[in-house]
Amino acid sequence: MKRKVCFIIIVVFSVSCNRPALVIPDTLELQLRNRDSYRHYVKLVNRAMAKDTIALQELLMIDDLSDAASYEHGDILIQLLENLGDEQYSKVLSSIPTKQKVFLRGYFEAGMDIRKLEYKIRIDKEYPITFNELEFDEKEKSIFISICGCIDSLN
């Protein structure tokens, strides 16, 4: 009986290690598979969801995704923010070089573009430390919102 239980635990654990904790959208998955980096990405997402700050930092350092995959990666980053919370996420974000934050702002903007209008309006209020770390000042927020067609201004 003990062996049977151990076997079941091992099988369940090994299967769950290969499954992403978050849904990886098709375009992002395809782009990662073409680079042979899908499994590594899934491991990073799973570890980041388990509050591994090194994995999150590695995900935040990705800067070479294109087209729809960049939108989908941005959405993954936002989901990780929602899971980890503003304080923990922003601590990791503070260790990212300023140059990389330019890519991250683009990914965040793309990820927010996938979301509904209500989410775009409230995300900076729910995660103020993170947005401060990304250096979204009022002018940048206003420009972003007017570009994405959400609303004309933040007034």
Side-chain angles (χ1 to χ4, degrees):
M1 181 68 176
K2 255 186 177 180
R3 286 183 184 188
K4 197 175 194 180
V5 171
C6 286
F7 176 74
I8 291 171
I9 290 172
I10 289 169
V11 169
V12 168
F13 182 73
S14 65
V15 169
S16 66
C17 287
N18 296 326
R19 292 180 182 229
L22 298 173
V23 174
I24 310 294
D26 294 339
T27 306
L28 177 58
E29 180 179 344
L30 181 62
Q31 198 169 113
L32 292 167
R33 284 190 188 279
N34 287 341
R35 301 175 184 182
D36 293 324
S37 56
Y38 176 74
R39 286 183 182 201
H40 182 65
Y41 188 87
V42 168
K43 286 179 186 176
L44 290 175
V45 168
N46 290 348
R47 287 177 33 215
M49 286 293 288
K51 304 194 184 312
D52 179 336
T53 57
I54 294 169
L56 176 60
Q57 186 174 29
E58 199 171 328
L59 284 166
L60 293 172
M61 292 301 292
I62 293 173
D63 62 1
D64 58 348
L65 296 171
S66 59
D67 303 326
S70 64
Y71 283 76
E72 295 168 350
H73 177 64
D75 190 49
I76 295 288
L77 294 177
I78 290 171
Q79 290 177 61
L80 289 168
L81 170 60
E82 293 168 335
N83 180 62
L84 297 172
D86 198 23
E87 195 169 313
Q88 186 175 3
Y89 200 93
S90 63
K91 282 181 186 175
V92 175
L93 197 54
S94 69
S95 67
I96 302 295
T98 304
K99 182 179 177 183
Q100 181 62 23
K101 288 180 185 176
V102 172
F103 288 104
L104 288 173
R105 290 196 317 203
Y107 286 139
F108 262 79
E109 291 168 4
M112 286 187 294
D113 203 35
I114 292 173
R115 306 289 180 112
K116 293 182 178 181
L117 171 62
E118 298 81 28
Y119 188 83
K120 292 176 193 179
I121 293 171
R122 68 181 165 80
I123 188 170
D124 62 319
K125 292 178 180 86
E126 290 182 12
Y127 306 103
I129 306 168
T130 296
F131 275 81
N132 186 48
E133 194 60 50
L134 284 170
E135 303 173 302
F136 278 99
D137 64 21
E138 289 302 313
K139 183 178 180 181
E140 289 171 319
K141 282 191 257 182
S142 167
I143 291 169
F144 163 69
I145 288 175
S146 65
I147 288 172
C148 78
C150 302
I151 54 176
D152 293 328
S153 69
L154 281 174
N155 297 335

